[in-house]
Amino acid sequence: MNLVSPTVATAGPVPCDGVIAAGVYVEGRRVANIAIDEAASWRSKPDHVVWIGLHEPDMALLSSLQRQFQLHDLAIEDADHAHQRPKIEQYGDALFIVARTAQLEGESIAFGETHLFVGEGYIVSVRHGASTSYTPVRERCESCPRALARGEDYILYAILDFIVDNYSPVLETIQDEVETMEAEVLASAMTRAQIERLYLLRRDLLRLRNAIGPLVEVCRRLERDDLPMVRVAMRPLFRDVTDHVRTIQERIDSLREVLAFAFEASLLVGQAQETAISKKLASWLAIVAVPTAVAGIYGMNFKYIPELQWEYSYFVVMGLMLAACGALFWRFRRSGWL
């Protein structure tokens, strides 16, 4: 087989708006950079694989892509409109796959989508919204021509695996914040700002789980169903992606449980602090009630009160009040109320 020389392979058309990369591979090696209008002619050659990466293309570019690979109208419509649920659909001998991507932007999670068209001799990725470039995937595959020579289903596996792996940095950042928040909860009750942040984290984790959850079904179909362009030898690799997705799900569920426990612990800490304050107030009120009651009795406007004419009555009453207050203080102190 005659291959294009390396000097020719590195040259090629300048990508237009929306086209990140478009190359042709033979036996795992890039032989040419191409324009979208040339994709059909290269794809029809035996043992050639066309790999195209697009980022938020317009409808004109998608229409050009549709003409080159005879893509289904519904698939093109979905690729033009983001906010699709992760899914896998079969149109004849071609597959259309939607996967959700996620990355941190500031303190919140931003979600994007990747739409994949897979058919004989080609694979096209279309990115929308927040999404890491798939250039590292292309570079890693090109560094191992033997693996890339497996064909378009291997490229599909590499992209899906990259998408799932990119959930881990997001979860690790959230996990660090959750651990810090958990330590603060045990020290004191949560402030309003912390409670709001906790709620936002739980909401983002739920959205993250909803984004990655359907990928289990997508990978299951790639692993088990007799789909075109997916060879039997590739099924264990898609099973590995399924395991990664389930691991991510378990980590998400674990973090959501920790946040729920942190919120409950914060409520308990707050209630404990309120109870301690109530006990102290009740103790001091009980202590103060003794002299208040005595002073109230002897402050009544009656002419004849037995102890008024006694020479030492003042000192006796004051002593009794101090003794009663001291006894109450000792009792409350021993009980842990003061």
Side-chain angles (χ1 to χ4, degrees):
M1 181 180 296
N2 294 324
L3 302 181
V4 180
S5 64
T7 57
V8 176
T10 56
V14 177
C16 62
D17 291 340
V19 179
I20 304 301
V24 180
Y25 297 82
V26 178
E27 295 182 357
R29 301 184 184 276
R30 189 192 301 199
V31 296
N33 295 323
I34 63 173
I36 297 298
D37 294 338
E38 303 172 346
S41 59
W42 284 98
R43 170 234 180 168
S44 61
K45 297 180 180 181
D47 300 324
H48 284 60
V49 176
V50 176
W51 184 357
I52 299 176
L54 307 179
H55 181 246
E56 297 185 352
D58 56 21
M59 193 59 193
L61 183 56
L62 290 175
S63 298
S64 177
L65 195 72
Q66 182 181 20
R67 290 191 297 271
Q68 294 298 310
F69 300 121
Q70 291 79 47
L71 302 177
H72 198 277
D73 291 340
L74 293 177
I76 292 296
E77 182 180 353
D78 286 345
D80 185 47
H81 298 85
H83 309 293
Q84 300 291 324
R85 178 179 173 83
K87 62 182 178 179
I88 178 171
E89 294 179 347
Q90 180 178 350
Y91 297 102
D93 292 334
L95 295 178
F96 175 66
I97 299 171
V98 178
R100 298 291 302 277
T101 57
Q103 63 183 32
L104 281 175
E105 291 186 356
E107 294 186 348
S108 61
I109 302 177
F111 293 91
E113 291 181 20
T114 293
H115 301 167
L116 299 169
F117 299 92
V118 186
E120 184 177 358
Y122 71 90
I123 179 168
V124 180
S125 64
V126 181
R127 294 190 292 120
H128 289 279
S131 175
T132 303
S133 173
Y134 296 146
T135 300
V137 181
R138 190 182 294 268
E139 292 175 349
R140 185 166 63 245
C141 290
E142 290 178 351
S143 66
C144 186
R146 183 176 180 181
L148 185 55
R150 299 181 185 182
E152 50 277 344
D153 52 354
Y154 179 82
I155 299 175
L156 172 62
Y157 153 75
I159 293 176
L160 290 178
D161 188 59
F162 183 76
I163 290 173
V164 175
D165 286 344
N166 276 340
Y167 282 90
S168 293
V170 177
L171 286 178
E172 289 172 0
T173 302
I174 294 178
Q175 184 172 0
D176 292 339
E177 184 174 359
V178 169
E179 290 176 353
T180 302
M181 188 177 295
E182 187 179 16
E184 292 176 350
V185 165
L186 297 178
S188 61
M190 299 180 69
T191 63
R192 180 180 178 85
Q194 289 175 320
I195 292 176
E196 290 177 354
R197 181 58 183 161
L198 186 149
Y199 170 77
L200 291 176
L201 284 175
R202 291 204 69 195
R203 185 193 64 181
D204 285 345
L205 286 173
L206 179 60
R207 293 173 60 195
L208 194 64
R209 196 184 194 287
N210 292 336
I212 196 174
L215 278 180
V216 174
E217 177 62 20
V218 171
C219 295
R220 188 200 65 80
R221 289 194 59 189
L222 291 170
E223 172 192 345
R224 300 179 182 178
D225 294 357
D226 294 328
L227 297 175
M229 309 317 303
V230 178
R231 293 164 297 159
V232 176
M234 288 297 301
R235 292 180 180 178
L237 295 181
F238 290 111
R239 186 181 307 120
D240 181 66
V241 177
T242 303
D243 292 339
H244 288 175
V245 173
R246 287 173 176 161
T247 300
I248 295 295
Q249 284 182 316
E250 291 175 357
R251 292 180 62 185
I252 292 173
D253 292 339
S254 176
L255 288 175
R256 294 190 76 242
E257 288 183 5
V258 170
L259 288 174
F261 292 152
F263 182 72
E264 293 176 1
S266 175
L267 291 179
L268 293 175
V269 170
Q271 291 175 358
Q273 291 179 346
E274 292 177 358
T275 301
I277 293 173
S278 299
K279 288 180 178 180
K280 288 183 179 181
L281 291 175
S283 300
W284 285 114
L285 286 174
I287 293 172
V288 173
V290 173
T292 301
V294 174
I297 292 173
Y298 284 93
M300 293 186 295
N301 294 321
F302 293 108
K303 183 177 180 180
Y304 299 104
I305 296 179
E307 294 84 1
L308 290 180
Q309 303 301 321
W310 188 26
E311 181 179 359
Y312 302 102
S313 60
Y314 172 79
F315 301 101
V316 172
V317 171
M318 289 297 295
L320 290 175
M321 285 194 298
L322 290 174
C325 291
L328 289 174
F329 181 83
W330 174 80
R331 180 61 180 175
F332 289 136
R333 186 83 173 191
R334 185 177 180 184
S335 301
W337 285 37
L338 289 175

